[in-house]
Amino acid sequence: VPPQGGRKHPHQEFLRVDTNDILFICGGAFVGLDSIIRNRVGRRGLGFEADLKSRYDTSVSEMLDQVTSEDLLKYGLIPEFVGRLPVLATLSELDKEALVRILTEPNNALVKQFCKLMEFENTLLRFSGDALQEIARLALEQKIGARGLRSIIEDLMLETMFELPSMGDVKEILIDENVVHRKVKPILIYEKAS
């Protein structure tokens, strides 16, 4: 009788896994890491020909591009973990154009999702190009990035989505920049009575 070894299901076959190919991926915002890097990078600049560019003139993205294992250790990650991260790569912040593309281009883009929801009510939903630009601008202004795009659209659409089933023959809903700026409610176009 082979030893059970404390396995949860001792009757199942034991599979060996080659752990040589395991890849650790660590992601996150790492708030404050840029300050650690600024302090390290800011030690330069001694002598007559030193580059006296202020360390605060550099953007957060440019600072994070210079991250080292030493910075991660000072940030508070344990050495055993940092040692398993042989390659360090950073992602740049999204700009307005990238956020607009996120809103519209993927197969599961937010605009497509909301349009599909409105199709269930036999209503066409359209966003003007200026509205999409303003939604992206709001996400940047509020520093909520791509994750916050859904909440912005839901906030714009909430009342209309709630009232739509009782409104009757709404053929189309148009979201333009004035709707995003909260100057007007979404524009409703009704079906002509025959």
Side-chain angles (χ1 to χ4, degrees):
V1 176
Q4 300 300 317
R7 292 177 31 212
K8 187 174 183 179
H9 301 286
H11 59 279
Q12 290 182 343
E13 182 181 336
F14 186 76
L15 297 176
R16 295 207 180 268
V17 177
D18 178 15
T19 59
N20 291 332
D21 303 335
I22 290 181
L23 173 67
F24 284 90
I25 298 176
C26 176
F30 298 98
V31 176
L33 181 59
D34 60 313
S35 299
I36 293 169
I37 299 167
R38 280 184 207 281
N39 288 336
R40 177 178 52 81
V41 171
R43 288 190 290 226
R44 298 181 197 153
L46 225 50
F48 291 109
E49 294 185 26
D51 181 14
L52 297 179
K53 179 181 174 187
S54 170
R55 62 184 175 200
Y56 299 103
D57 291 344
T58 310
S59 73
V60 173
S61 294
E62 290 174 328
M63 272 295 137
L64 291 176
D65 284 342
Q66 300 178 48
V67 69
T68 65
S69 297
E70 174 189 340
D71 299 325
L72 294 176
L73 291 170
K74 284 183 181 175
Y75 185 73
L77 297 181
I78 60 174
E80 291 80 9
F81 185 69
V82 173
R84 298 188 192 288
L85 301 172
V87 176
L88 301 176
T90 59
L91 301 175
S92 300
E93 293 182 49
L94 297 171
D95 60 4
K96 188 162 60 168
E97 288 72 31
L99 290 173
V100 170
R101 290 179 55 213
I102 289 170
L103 280 169
T104 58
E105 290 181 13
N107 288 339
N108 63 344
L110 288 172
V111 168
K112 294 175 185 176
Q113 290 178 28
F114 279 89
C115 288
K116 191 67 169 176
L117 282 173
M118 294 299 101
E119 279 181 28
F120 292 132
E121 297 294 332
N122 296 319
T123 304
L124 177 66
L125 174 63
R126 289 189 307 130
F127 288 83
S128 73
D130 290 338
L132 295 173
Q133 292 284 330
E134 284 303 303
I135 291 168
R137 187 192 61 75
L138 276 176
L140 288 173
E141 181 180 288
Q142 297 172 8
K143 298 189 183 299
I144 53 178
R147 287 188 206 110
L149 292 173
R150 176 177 292 281
S151 65
I152 293 172
I153 294 177
E154 283 177 351
D155 192 39
L156 294 173
M157 295 288 302
L158 184 64
E159 188 177 330
T160 303
M161 289 172 59
F162 181 74
E163 295 175 355
L164 188 62
S166 64
M167 285 184 182
D169 300 326
V170 176
K171 175 182 164 187
E172 191 174 334
I173 299 171
L174 175 62
I175 306 293
D176 66 8
E177 65 182 298
N178 291 323
V179 175
V180 178
H181 288 294
R182 303 294 188 166
K183 293 179 181 173
V184 297
K185 290 185 176 184
I187 302 160
L188 305 178
I189 301 170
Y190 290 88
E191 191 86 39
K192 291 183 181 177
S194 343

